Amino acid sequence: MKNKVTRNTLLRMKKTGEKVAAITSYDYLCTRMIDQAGIDLILVGDSLGMVMMGYENTLPVTMEEIIHHCKAVSRARPRAIVVGDMPFMSYQASVEDAVRNAGRLVKEGGVESVKLEGGRRYVPVIEAIVEASIPVVGHLGLTPQSLHQFGGYRVQGKDPESADRLVEDAGALERAGCYAVVLEGIPWQLARTITEAVSIPTIGIGAGPHCDGQVLVLHDMLGIFEEPLPKFVKCYERIGERIREAVAAYAKEVKEGRFPGLEHSYSSERQDGRE
Ligand code: KIV
């Protein structure tokens, strides 16, 4: 495909200063629309646990669930690079687990890359997945799979020690072979420091304006997922409201016998040569 976005494209974008526009997607139709809108990276995030499955957090998401959605997204054959999220406990227990599960996302899910959360502790895992020829995106900061360890969704890297640790982690992920890193829920000053320190693109979410790119959850920015949203989400639409209005109008017309009319009905009489 012409202009297909690959890991090399993203590395080039870092060099030229072109920002990376990333977004999540979990199904075929949304992926087609997103791709026509000029997105560079589509993430089949484990946020699908909340958005698609109604779980309280990302922890219950299984490999089977992620693969199911990766298949739907990759069937749209987008120009954007498709990244599959590695669910909780698909890479934490052993390097072997991690390589096998990353392989399943590519082989069964059809994705072109995987993402996993965590710092230097995951260097051997990342090295092994990259060695298996699977491009890896790292994820640092407020990593939602560590929710219980953090004691809630708390902004990370606010004190000098933890900020230094995150800068070192970003360097370790780059050296391990990651071609990009998501920075989530950290002060914008720290995100800027990390962005200047590494030569792979940083993709921010709740990390301020100085990252090399941004990612948002599609259903948050469209105003479909209407739970209280974090400060960093900008709603570009109120699709939730519009869906409710449209469905309410339909229900009202059905109940009042105004839909369907004859214009939406077939006739046994031939009209204009058509049935
Ligand atoms: O699961 C997800 O959607 C993510 C992004 C929010 C970065 O990890």
Side-chain angles (χ1 to χ4, degrees):
M1 181 192 298
K2 210 167 152 242
N3 298 330
K4 172 73 190 164
V5 179
T6 67
R7 66 179 282 286
N8 300 336
T9 318
L10 295 196
L11 288 166
R12 244 187 340 264
M13 287 166 84
K14 169 87 179 190
K15 285 210 177 95
T16 60
E18 185 184 345
K19 294 264 190 184
V20 178
I23 205 153
T24 65
S25 187
Y26 317 106
D27 66 59
Y28 173 76
L29 278 180
C30 282
T31 302
R32 281 194 6 182
M33 288 186 270
I34 285 168
D35 205 47
Q36 286 157 6
I39 282 288
D40 303 304
L41 183 152
I42 293 173
L43 172 66
V44 188
D46 60 359
S47 50
L48 68 82
M50 285 96 96
V51 177
M52 295 276 116
M53 317 288 298
Y55 297 147
E56 208 173 305
N57 52 50
T58 59
L59 301 182
V61 174
T62 65
M63 278 298 294
E64 270 57 41
E65 287 164 347
I66 286 273
I67 288 172
H68 174 80
H69 288 278
C70 286
K71 280 182 176 170
V73 167
S74 58
R75 258 182 227 124
R77 313 251 235 119
R79 175 192 149 273
I81 187 167
V82 180
V83 180
D85 227 352
M86 299 209 50
F88 181 57
M89 278 302 138
S90 68
Y91 59 96
Q92 283 88 346
S94 73
V95 170
E96 194 178 320
D97 268 5
V99 176
R100 269 194 216 298
N101 285 323
R104 287 191 67 196
L105 290 184
V106 174
K107 224 172 150 65
E108 299 172 44
V111 303
E112 294 141 353
S113 168
V114 299
K115 174 173 86 56
L116 58 87
E117 299 180 6
R120 68 201 73 178
R121 165 163 147 50
Y122 290 97
V123 162
V125 165
I126 293 163
E127 283 174 345
I129 298 174
V130 172
E131 189 64 28
S133 303
I134 300 171
V136 179
V137 176
H139 188 163
L140 292 173
L142 199 184
T143 43
Q145 292 177 13
S146 304
L147 165 70
H148 298 314
Q149 180 75 12
F150 293 151
Y153 294 107
R154 295 174 191 283
V155 174
Q156 300 294 301
K158 282 176 102 170
D159 60 89
E161 294 76 33
S162 63
D164 286 351
R165 244 192 338 270
L166 283 170
V167 177
E168 284 163 23
D169 278 343
L173 296 194
E174 177 179 9
R175 286 189 296 281
C178 285
Y179 71 90
V181 60
V182 171
L183 301 178
E184 177 163 359
I186 61 172
W188 64 263
Q189 296 90 340
L190 172 58
R192 184 175 59 186
T193 303
I194 294 175
T195 300
E196 287 168 1
V198 295
S199 53
I200 56 175
T202 58
I203 301 176
I205 174 163
H210 299 294
C211 294
D212 299 305
Q214 292 295 309
V215 60
L216 278 181
V217 170
L218 178 70
H219 294 65
D220 291 351
M221 59 82 74
L222 289 181
I224 302 177
F225 194 75
E226 296 170 311
E227 309 294 312
L229 293 172
K231 171 183 181 171
F232 60 77
V233 175
K234 178 172 176 185
C235 283
Y236 285 80
E237 258 298 351
R238 296 273 164 210
I239 302 285
E241 249 168 64
R242 291 173 57 182
I243 291 175
R244 262 194 305 277
E245 280 166 15
V247 176
Y250 160 74
K252 189 164 185 287
E253 288 194 6
V254 169
K255 287 186 183 295
E256 291 173 355
R258 290 193 290 125
F259 178 82
L262 288 184
E263 74 276 23
H264 292 109
S265 307
Y266 299 108
S267 169
S268 53
E269 291 161 21
R270 293 185 75 91
Q271 293 162 345
D272 303 331
R274 300 169 71 190
E275 269 180 42

